Amino acid sequence: MSPSYDVPMSAALDEARAALATGDVPIGAVVLGPNGTVVGRGRNVREAEGDPTGHAEIVALREAAKATGSWRLEGCTLVVTLEPCTMCAGAAVLARVDRVVFGAYDDKAGAVGSLWDVVRDRRLNHRPEVVAGILAEESTTLLDEFFRGQRTP
């Protein structure tokens, strides 16, 4: 029986909602350690910190590496509300996470099956398992509401 990722995805959605306070796109992530506990949290901080690499996944992976004392996050799971972009998918591969779990697909920039498939590229030395569509409707609604508010009438 495969584990349910609803609870960690809910934690990632909480991180995404927190990004709204700084005007960042509401994307959140958590990294689960091998025992299933959260070892890293992240939300988009590009606007808040003026950092082009301030994606939720990168923030969460950095925190997880600090918490575990290693950049090798073997046995860990990256849970994120939106399908990772090429940078974040590449970071997941380089961090050696066992799996990438995401909510909504990103047809415009997704690199875990939509536009590209970085994590399953056979030319790379590590290929995490992918679990898609966890609480996808909640993730999509949060993003749609954010971008609806960004549009000028």
Side-chain angles (χ1 to χ4, degrees):
M1 179 176 196
S2 63
S4 170
Y5 292 106
D6 288 1
V7 171
M9 185 61 75
S10 291
L13 282 162
D14 288 343
E15 291 295 322
R17 288 182 197 97
L20 291 169
T22 59
D24 277 286
V25 177
I27 299 171
V30 296
V31 176
L32 305 176
N35 64 359
T37 62
V38 174
V39 294
R41 295 178 183 276
R43 65 182 70 110
N44 272 9
V45 294
R46 290 189 308 169
E47 298 298 328
E49 297 183 8
D51 180 359
T53 67
H55 290 206
E57 300 94 322
I58 300 298
V59 174
L61 290 168
R62 285 178 180 154
E63 188 174 290
K66 284 181 186 171
T68 63
S70 177
W71 63 266
R72 288 181 182 90
L73 298 175
E74 294 158 337
C76 293
T77 299
L78 172 64
V79 180
V80 59
T81 58
L82 182 66
E83 178 183 2
C85 69
T86 53
M87 175 180 69
C88 296
V93 169
L94 292 172
R96 312 287 197 273
V97 298
D98 281 10
R99 74 197 48 75
V100 174
V101 176
F102 68 89
Y105 280 93
D106 184 354
D107 295 332
K108 295 180 181 177
V112 184
S114 290
L115 192 55
W116 296 285
D117 201 349
V118 171
V119 299
R120 289 180 278 217
D121 190 320
R122 291 196 164 299
R123 297 168 292 183
L124 299 175
N125 65 338
H126 180 73
R127 289 181 294 282
E129 173 190 359
V130 174
V131 179
I134 305 299
L135 301 183
E137 188 173 326
E138 289 89 332
S139 297
T140 300
T141 298
L142 188 59
L143 287 162
D144 286 349
E145 289 173 0
F146 172 79
F147 286 112
R148 194 173 306 116
Q150 298 296 305
R151 294 187 190 104
T152 54

